[in-house]
Amino acid sequence: MELVKAVDGLWQRGWLPYDVREVVSRSLDESATALVVDVIALSCSPHPESTVDPRWRRQLEEIGASVWWEGDLLEAWASRHIETRAYATRTAAELLKFLGRLPSLPRILPLPGDRLLSAVRAGVDPKVLNRVRGLLAKAESTSFPEEAEALSAKAQELMNRHALERAVLDAGLPAQATSRRMWLDKSYFKEKSQLVHVVATAFRSRAVAYDGFGFVALVGDEVDLESTELLSTSLLVQATRAMVAVGGRAGKGSEARSRPFRKSFLVAFASRIGERLESAQEVPDIPDERLLPVLADRKQAVDTLFEEMFTRTRTSRVTVRSAAGWGAGRAAADVADIGTGRSSVTSG
């Protein structure tokens, strides 16, 4: 099947299952998105689970890619979606043409079927991850700033402390860096990617924004990247909620509802969050002399992988056209919850 060959080619060109589903959903219609998920499942189905990287498997589960049919895919797909075979054929042709135009990306995971030469370095401990997610979810949902700040402070404490304690445990092991892609909403992408950048920097990672597609490529240690994704997602929710609230309190046609205001708001929010995170970057008092050498080795590994993956990058600049938006964004960032607590993760 030509579509399977096309998707197999995308794996060779560095794309991952979530990337393919996301770029199709943003460019084509729901039918093409549903079809490409099934094609992804068919492409990956011949490979034993033991030869598929765990992160790859998690992405397949996240997008719901599984072989649910028998026989011809297009016939089964048309029947399931109550469409004609001719419609399915047209959708497949449009999808095939689109996939063939996608460029290459840096390869960040082994391909399905490749021999996994080494054990995958573990990410955030599941118990810590669940606690952090719970705290951030409560912080995002509460309408009381003081409560949100306390909840997010605890979440940030858990993330940072866990990452540094894991660094101590990894002393003596070769430093490893990896990469992830974080897809953002298309609206105000450039401004939102600024926020991801400052959070990544705070967690000892580096970021490159792909404006044309809508994702940010992150390079760092596995635990630091998970922390970057968690905190960035939470802060984006807080920023959007605060931005909409300002507009909601303003009258129809006011500056607070304009695109220049909202862009300036998000840029200012990211700038102020960056300042707050930088001021909180002192290394916690972990009684182990191995920590600083480990962090230095990891920085070298991150920088090396970054330079290998991205040989040509440029600095992105954004223009602030609303002084009111800038002021409101910084004010919102001052009360946003980044957390600076420092008690031990393992203390229970």
Side-chain angles (χ1 to χ4, degrees):
M1 184 180 183
E2 290 300 315
L3 272 175
V4 174
K5 292 180 181 178
V7 168
D8 288 344
L10 289 179
W11 307 153
Q12 296 288 340
R13 302 206 300 275
W15 290 77
L16 300 178
Y18 189 90
D19 302 331
V20 176
R21 195 284 303 271
E22 196 66 19
V23 75
V24 170
S25 71
R26 294 175 182 224
S27 305
L28 303 179
D29 59 18
E30 293 182 2
S31 294
T33 303
L35 180 56
V36 82
V37 170
D38 290 339
V39 175
I40 289 170
L42 189 56
S43 168
C44 297
S45 62
H47 305 291
E49 186 174 303
S50 60
T51 67
V52 181
D53 186 273
R55 280 173 53 191
W56 196 292
R57 294 200 302 269
R58 286 196 295 270
Q59 289 198 14
L60 293 175
E61 294 173 0
E62 185 172 357
I63 67 175
S66 62
V67 177
W68 50 266
W69 68 95
E70 294 182 359
D72 181 71
L73 169 58
L74 288 185
E75 194 70 41
W77 185 90
S79 176
R80 187 183 213 191
H81 294 273
I82 319 177
E83 299 288 356
T84 65
R85 175 61 187 248
Y87 178 86
T89 301
R90 289 195 301 271
T91 301
E94 181 182 14
L95 179 59
L96 182 63
K97 184 178 179 180
F98 175 77
L99 297 180
R101 295 197 300 262
L102 294 177
S104 295
L105 299 175
R107 187 181 297 181
I108 61 178
L109 289 179
L111 301 179
D114 284 355
R115 183 182 178 187
L116 302 181
L117 297 178
S118 59
V120 178
R121 189 70 62 86
V124 177
D125 182 276
K127 292 181 180 179
V128 175
L129 189 60
N130 288 336
R131 291 174 65 191
V132 167
R133 284 174 171 165
L135 290 165
L136 290 177
K138 291 179 181 179
E140 293 158 18
S141 63
T142 181
S143 58
F144 300 101
E146 295 80 6
E147 181 184 11
E149 183 172 357
L151 290 166
S152 290
K154 183 62 176 177
Q156 172 70 359
E157 168 194 332
L158 287 170
M159 288 186 288
N160 194 51
R161 191 74 187 192
H162 177 63
L164 295 176
E165 289 178 350
R166 277 287 305 277
V168 172
L169 294 176
D170 289 343
L173 298 175
Q176 292 184 3
T178 186
S179 181
R180 292 184 174 209
R181 296 177 187 133
M182 185 174 178
W183 289 81
L184 308 178
D185 291 337
K186 294 178 69 174
S187 59
Y188 307 108
F189 170 81
K190 183 175 290 187
E191 292 74 24
K192 292 175 180 176
S193 67
Q194 296 284 329
L195 180 57
V196 177
H197 168 74
V198 300
V199 176
T201 300
F203 280 103
R204 302 164 288 276
S205 304
R206 300 183 67 176
V208 172
Y210 282 70
D211 296 16
F213 292 114
F215 69 82
V216 178
L218 300 168
V219 180
D221 175 76
E222 186 70 27
V223 173
D224 288 335
L225 293 189
E226 287 193 38
S227 299
T228 297
E229 284 189 307
L230 284 169
L231 185 57
S232 295
T233 301
S234 179
L235 286 171
L236 285 169
V237 170
Q238 294 182 54
T240 301
R241 184 176 59 193
M243 180 180 69
V244 171
V246 172
R249 292 192 295 268
K252 185 177 180 181
S254 68
E255 182 183 359
R257 296 190 176 191
S258 69
R259 285 185 63 82
F261 180 94
R262 292 187 170 188
K263 286 186 175 185
S264 300
F265 183 103
L266 292 170
V267 173
F269 187 94
S271 174
R272 180 59 185 141
I273 289 294
E275 293 171 4
R276 293 182 62 192
L277 289 172
E278 184 178 3
S279 68
Q281 280 308 294
E282 72 276 4
V283 177
D285 183 21
I286 296 180
D288 197 307
E289 66 280 0
R290 294 173 295 174
L291 176 59
L292 293 181
V294 170
L295 293 181
D297 289 344
R298 285 191 176 180
K299 182 180 184 305
Q300 181 62 50
V302 170
D303 290 343
T304 299
L305 180 59
F306 185 91
E307 297 300 330
E308 291 175 355
M309 291 177 59
F310 306 107
T311 55
R312 291 183 296 177
T313 60
R314 61 181 178 84
T315 301
S316 177
R317 291 180 172 83
V318 291
T319 303
V320 174
R321 302 185 184 277
S322 171
W326 177 268
R330 287 186 66 86
D334 278 330
V335 297
D337 309 310
I338 62 172
T340 55
R342 289 292 183 265
S343 62
S344 174
V345 171
T346 56
S347 64

